Amino acid sequence: MHELSLAQSLLDIVEQELARHGATRAKVIRLDVGEFTAVVPESLSFCFEVITKDTPLEGVRLEMNPVPLTGRCRGCGKEFRIQDYNFACPRCAAMDIETIAGKELLIREIEAE
Ligand SMILES: [Zn+2]
């Protein structure tokens, strides 16, 4: 259960953030979810719902913004969307690719009450 531990760490961060701002409840949590994290949004929502039940965060909505997997060629500097796990540069065909987006799981915004 990959999503359950993720949901737990998200909850920890959200609670810390809320405490820092003197709030206890949140309405919406907005996340950037990289394509490469293999997170299943429905599954993460479900886990979050389960662990926040009977807590002040019960009923909070998770909004997930998918971030496409993006790479940059170390050879020619071209940035491109990596599709079907094809890690080859479309310009020069080099395989030396650095991923610059798509691996993140970030809380972008918390809408508190
Ligand atoms: Zn290249």
Side-chain angles (χ1 to χ4, degrees), residues 53-112:
K53 193 163 167 43
D54 300 323
T55 77
L57 285 170
E58 182 172 357
V60 68
R61 204 167 75 240
L62 283 187
E63 284 185 7
M64 286 168 256
N65 171 47
V67 179
L69 186 60
T70 308
R72 184 195 290 125
C73 174
R74 287 199 175 97
C76 70
K78 169 123 182 107
E79 289 181 10
F80 60 98
R81 166 102 192 255
I82 298 169
Q83 277 169 317
D84 303 321
Y85 301 100
N86 179 10
F87 288 84
C89 174
R91 186 193 278 163
C92 71
M95 296 292 285
D96 192 8
I97 305 303
E98 173 192 10
T99 51
I100 54 174
K103 284 177 165 175
E104 61 275 75
L105 182 69
L106 292 174
I107 297 175
R108 204 152 40 95
E109 199 180 3
I110 300 169
E111 210 173 284

